[in-house]
Amino acid sequence: MPRAIPKSSGGLPARDRRGAPRSSGRFPGVTTEDRGPVFDGVRIGRPATGALIDAGYRTIGELPERLDELRELHGVGPRAIHLLAQARQTGR
């Protein structure tokens, strides 16, 4: 049975004494921090945002020229790619 992710009161991710997100324990270095559904100001959803951040992207400007290359990332689907392309065109 999988271990539960430690939580603090209020449903927020647990933090260590320094205030940093606490590791889930099962996967050292992996935090329980919720990165939310927004990537660089574009609401693409939690799975896509997490996939892009895990791949090392922090801004739309860092994404590859051909956004279709992002489809191989688990969590990034056609809707997220479409929204990122729109944001890139409008200069967001």
Side-chain angles (χ1 to χ4, degrees), residues 64-87:
E65 190 173 320
R66 294 194 45 189
L67 293 176
D68 285 341
E69 295 173 15
L70 298 174
R71 281 191 184 216
E72 58 192 57
L73 298 176
H74 182 79
V76 179
R79 180 178 174 273
I81 290 173
H82 173 75
L83 294 171
L84 291 167
Q86 278 185 328

Side-chain angles (χ1 to χ4, degrees), residues 2-87:
R3 290 174 29 182
I5 296 173
K7 295 279 186 178
S8 63
S9 63
L12 298 174
R15 304 226 172 231
D16 66 12
R17 344 173 245 247
R18 295 168 296 150
R22 188 183 308 160
S23 172
S24 64
R26 185 171 179 179
F27 303 104
V30 176
T31 64
T32 58
E33 188 77 24
D34 179 12
R35 294 170 284 197
V38 180
F39 178 79
D40 197 20
V42 183
R43 189 176 187 87
I44 59 172
R46 277 181 169 73
T49 298
L52 293 176
I53 290 171
D54 289 346
Y57 300 110
R58 298 292 180 259
T59 66
I60 292 173
E62 295 175 355
L63 297 176
E65 190 173 320
R66 294 194 45 189
L67 293 176
D68 285 341
E69 295 173 15
L70 298 174
R71 281 191 184 216
E72 58 192 57
L73 298 176
H74 182 79
V76 179
R79 180 178 174 273
I81 290 173
H82 173 75
L83 294 171
L84 291 167
Q86 278 185 328

